[in-house]
């Protein structure tokens, strides 16, 4: 009994139901696009009986026989079945053909206007547009023509010459597509010379942190992140009834420096298509401005200069379409919304350039400044961009460029074998890239930690890249990753269940420090934290930035992190002087401390070792002058300035007798930690 495949049974059932199934079925490779016979190529009178009914697979009585020119064992020649095009009727006259061509051009132009891909051989969008709307239809047309002329039909006579001509023409769009594939392959890093090119897209200088990064002005620290800025902006928007029903605040919130302060700015957008239709003549009347230092939010009204060109415009004034059609050969990267020093709205449109193959080595070559009110555009080289512009290079692109350097600077093979010197930027906490922004020299810099290829919980340094100029600096500092620091800060307030924002990098007493905000479940900032990058167990938490700063500086001094002679680095250091009344020594968490009191002063001063090692040369009755920071239980000494009255003799002898006298003083004072003092003397 003849066995029936599942497909044949389905076709038989459809035929019995009245559906015309002629030409349907068989192998998916059942016929050549150029007229080859089903079952393995053009028919030369070889067996085509039952074997053909099985799709030319050689599964019938002629199993093992030849299947046509393709040759062996009934094998089928892969092809595209174009029989569905037989029922498509072409134009019946030359006039109809002209109309059809014009219509096709109009449709193609409309598609280009709507999708507006860059007309550039390096543009992936262009290749996709051309492949779908041009190359594929041309291929199908020529392939079908070749098939018809080779097989012949009631309307077309067999003509081998024309069949061959159309077959050759059908391969032209295939060849064009192969050019794009070849260009993509030539962009890959394993091509000889490409790894070096990728490593040199971003040039990075190694600098000293304490020298290059000035101590931060705490009144200028950004204390909120983008999510908090969105909350504040939306809350302020809700207080303006005539806007809230028609507009929403965009989620862009670009971070820029505006009049010397870090802010996030975002335009309003039309709430929906109907609101656009109602308000399109007047444009968008305002933008949201959030000060990241003071947390003040403001909806800035634009008066007679509203925003007419925006991303919420669906038609002609859509900013993407407007700029792309004005510069059809430019490829644009991520656009950002900014305001100049006068508060006027602009769109910053970076122009991409690919430097390796067709699609590799992305960088920015030019910038288009588009006036958000008038739509007027200015084409500038990167070096000519005005200083008020902060975002020329998108942050994601800069992170990618540094990762190219970190991966390939020792060659492509080393990037996965051996991995000597291979580094990468630290990841974020939610699967995204981990970076933040720092205001420096009136520019916005992208900051991120740098870790080894093994991706452990420590960093080997961090990198900062200028978003306007692409200037890049690396600072060699070993310590904790941003995620580890965030977890350390959250551990200080675990009872409150606050979450830490992604930290920013600041300089405190020449020590690289993570600063972050701690937010409650509603996303509101409740506290602030500072974490020592190199010793991330040193965490200070406060309700205000000033309080956090004070606690953190005292913590650095207590743990001996800040060395003697660096007193000028601390902003809240006070000065004390007098005669030593008592001295006591203790060991706390493995660190030696001397506790000193002065005549006529009830305060206790903590001198931590090894930072203030000179304290061991002092004894009761000696005059002393030093700087200190106010603490909760004891004031933390920071720098010894006064001369040791009892230290005029041999320094070694003074050191030798200082500790016993200090211990005697501690016992005479009845210090509770005298037993720790004797153990500390031998430490």
């Amino acid at each position: 009994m003849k066995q029936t495949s599942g497909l044949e049974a389905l076709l038989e059932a459809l035929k019995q139901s009245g559906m015309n199934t002629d030409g349907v079925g068989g192998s998916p490779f059942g016929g050549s696009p150029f007229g080859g016979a089903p079952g393995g190529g053009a028919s030369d009178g070889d067996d085509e009986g039952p074997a053909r009914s099985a799709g030319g697979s050689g599964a019938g009585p002629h199993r093992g026989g030849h299947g046509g020119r393709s040759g062996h064992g009934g094998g089928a020649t892969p092809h595209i079945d174009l029989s569905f095009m037989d029922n498509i009727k072409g134009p019946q006259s030359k006039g109809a053909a002209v109309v059809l061509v014009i219509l096709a051009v109009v449709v193609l132009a409309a598609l280009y206007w709507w999708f507006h891909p860059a007309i550039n051989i390096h543009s992936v969008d262009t290749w996709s547009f051309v492949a779908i709307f041009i190359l594929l239809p041309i291929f199908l047309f020529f392939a079908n023509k070749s098939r018809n002329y080779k097989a012949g039909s009631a309307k077309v006579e067999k003509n081998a010459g024309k069949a061959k001509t159309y077959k050759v023409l059908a391969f032209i769009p295939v060849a064009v597509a192969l050019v794009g594939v070849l260009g993509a392959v030539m962009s890959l890093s394993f091509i000889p010379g490409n790894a070096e090119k990728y490593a040199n897209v971003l040039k990075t200088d190694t600098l000293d942190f304490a020298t290059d990064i000035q101590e931060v002005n705490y009144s200028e620290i950004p204390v909120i992140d983008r999510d908090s800025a969105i909350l504040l902006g939306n809350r302020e928007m809700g207080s303006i009834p005539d806007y809230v029903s028609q507009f929403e605040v965009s989620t862009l919130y670009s971070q820029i420096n505006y009049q010397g302060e870090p802010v996030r700015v975002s335009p309003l957008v039309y709430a929906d298509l109907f609101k656009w239709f109602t308000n399109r003549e007047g444009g968008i009347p305002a933008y949201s401005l959030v000060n990241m230092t003071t947390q003040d939010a403001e909806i800035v009204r634009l008066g007679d200069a509203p925003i007419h060109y925006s991303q919420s415009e669906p038609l002609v004034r859509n900013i993407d379409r407007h700029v792309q059609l004005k510069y059809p050969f430019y490829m644009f990267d991520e656009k950002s919304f900014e305001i100049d020093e006068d508060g006027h709205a602009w769109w910053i449109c970076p122009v991409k350039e690919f430097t390796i193959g067709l699609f590799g080595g992305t960088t920015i070559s030019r910038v288009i400044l588009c006036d958000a009110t008038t739509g007027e555009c200015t084409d500038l080289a990167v070096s000519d961009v005005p200083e008020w512009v902060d975002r020329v290079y998108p942050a994601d692109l800069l992170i990618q460029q540094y990762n190219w350097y970190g991966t390939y600077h020792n060659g492509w093979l080393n990037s996965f074998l051996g991995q000597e010197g291979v580094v990468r930027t630290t990841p974020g906490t939610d699967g995204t890239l981990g970076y933040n922004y720092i205001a420096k020299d009136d520019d916005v810099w992208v900051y991120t930690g740098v870790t080894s290829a093994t991706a452990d919980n420590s960093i080997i340094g961090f990198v900062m890249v200028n978003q306007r100029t692409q200037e890049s600096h690396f600072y060699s500092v070993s310590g904790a990753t941003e995620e580890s620091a965030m977890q350390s800060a959250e551990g200080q307030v675990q009872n409150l269940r606050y979450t830490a924002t992604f930290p920013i990098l600041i300089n405190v007493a020449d020590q690289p420090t993570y600063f972050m905000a701690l937010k409650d479940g509603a996303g509101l900032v409740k506290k602030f934290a500072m974490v020592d990058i190199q010793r991330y167990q040193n965490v200070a938490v406060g309700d205000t930035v000033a309080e956090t700063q004070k606690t953190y500086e005292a913590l650095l001094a207590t743990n001996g992190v800040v060395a003697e002679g660096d007193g000028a680095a601390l902003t809240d250091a006070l000065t004390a002087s007098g005669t030593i009344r008592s001295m006591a020594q203790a060991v706390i968490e493995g660190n030696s401390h001397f506790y000193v009191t002065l005549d006529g002063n009830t305060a206790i001063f903590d001198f931590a070792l090894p930072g203030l090692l000179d304290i061991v040369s002092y004894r009761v009755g000696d005059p002393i002058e030093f700087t200190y920071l106010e603490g909760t239980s004891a004031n933390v000494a920071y720098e010894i300035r006064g001369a040791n009255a009892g230290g005029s003799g041999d320094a070694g002898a003074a050191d030798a007798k200082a500790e016993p006298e200090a211990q005697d003083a501690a016992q005479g004072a009845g210090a509770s930690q005298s037993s720790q003092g004797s153990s500390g003397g031998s430490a």
Side-chain angles (χ1 to χ4, degrees), residues 41 48 75 113 133 149 186 259 283 317 365 492 520 526 616:
E48 295 183 354
W113 182 87
F133 296 113
Y149 276 115
M186 294 303 294
Q259 297 180 351
R317 296 190 307 202
S365 60
Q492 294 292 107
D520 62 12
K526 294 298 184 180
V616 300

Side-chain angles (χ1 to χ4, degrees), residues 394-418:
D396 288 0
L397 176 60
L398 293 176
I399 298 299
Q400 182 185 50
Q401 290 179 345
Y402 185 81
N403 283 332
W404 287 338
Y405 165 79
T407 303
Y408 300 120
H409 67 277
N410 284 332
W412 174 77
L413 196 61
N414 180 72
S415 67
F416 61 92
L417 290 180

Side-chain angles (χ1 to χ4, degrees), residues 109-118 276 309-328 330 332 335 349 370 375 377:
L111 289 171
Y112 171 75
W113 182 87
W114 183 257
F115 292 106
H116 50 275
W276 163 78
Y309 293 82
S310 71
Q311 293 178 330
S312 63
E313 283 278 350
L315 298 176
V316 179
R317 296 190 307 202
N318 177 273
I319 184 61
D320 297 325
R321 181 175 293 114
H322 170 71
V323 175
Q324 187 64 74
L325 296 181
K326 191 174 183 65
Y327 299 93
Y330 282 177
F332 291 99
K335 301 176 181 66
C349 310
C370 180
C377 296

Side-chain angles (χ1 to χ4, degrees), residues 518-538:
L518 297 170
K519 302 193 295 186
D520 62 12
L524 300 177
V525 175
K526 294 298 184 180
K527 289 180 178 292
F528 305 97
M530 291 183 183
V531 182
D532 187 348
I533 289 181
Q534 296 171 299
R535 308 160 195 83
Y536 70 99
Q537 71 275 14
N538 292 341

